[in-house]
Amino acid sequence: MNKLNILFVCGAGLGSSFAAQMSAEDVLTKLGVTAKLDHCDISSAVSMKPDVIITAENFRTQFEKFTIDPQTAMVYLKNIVSKAEIEEKLTPVLQAKGIL
């Protein structure tokens, strides 16, 4: 794998996805992981092929209606700016992808 590609998704692709991205940047720095980070809205996310999608738990049912590449790991957060929750849920994904 080249560089890990993580996509942060919210309804409009502006506010909460960007807030989650900023929190995740700190977590990734702490873990020593270099990744390409981007954020967008749900409808745009469906056509993209990131390694990981990070989004709020309340978007789970919307994502379940879409066909997402099976190689894309989905991370659902209850608190999108909680660095502790991001680290807790992202670490096993990074391990499974051989990044950690």
Side-chain angles (χ1 to χ4, degrees):
M1 179 179 294
N2 293 333
K3 189 180 232 187
L4 185 70
N5 185 357
I6 302 175
L7 185 63
F8 298 85
V9 180
C10 68
L14 300 170
S16 57
S17 60
F18 187 59
Q21 179 179 331
M22 290 190 307
S23 292
E25 285 174 352
D26 292 339
V27 171
L28 292 167
T29 298
K30 175 184 174 187
L31 297 174
V33 174
T34 302
K36 178 185 179 296
L37 308 180
D38 203 0
H39 59 277
C40 71
D41 62 281
I42 293 175
S43 57
S44 298
V46 176
S47 65
M48 302 172 95
K49 302 257 190 253
D51 300 305
V52 181
I53 291 177
I54 298 178
T55 191
E57 181 65 45
N58 59 312
F59 292 122
R60 183 185 294 266
T61 56
Q62 288 176 273
F63 272 104
E64 289 172 349
K65 294 175 186 173
F66 298 125
T67 303
I68 303 291
D69 185 330
Q71 298 298 314
T72 299
M74 296 296 302
V75 176
Y76 295 99
L77 303 172
K78 289 184 175 116
N79 180 345
I80 60 162
V81 294
S82 167
K83 294 175 187 176
E85 183 181 5
I86 292 169
E87 184 173 353
E88 172 190 331
K89 292 183 175 176
L90 188 56
T91 297
V93 170
L94 297 174
Q95 290 169 336
K97 292 195 172 286
I99 304 298
L100 288 180

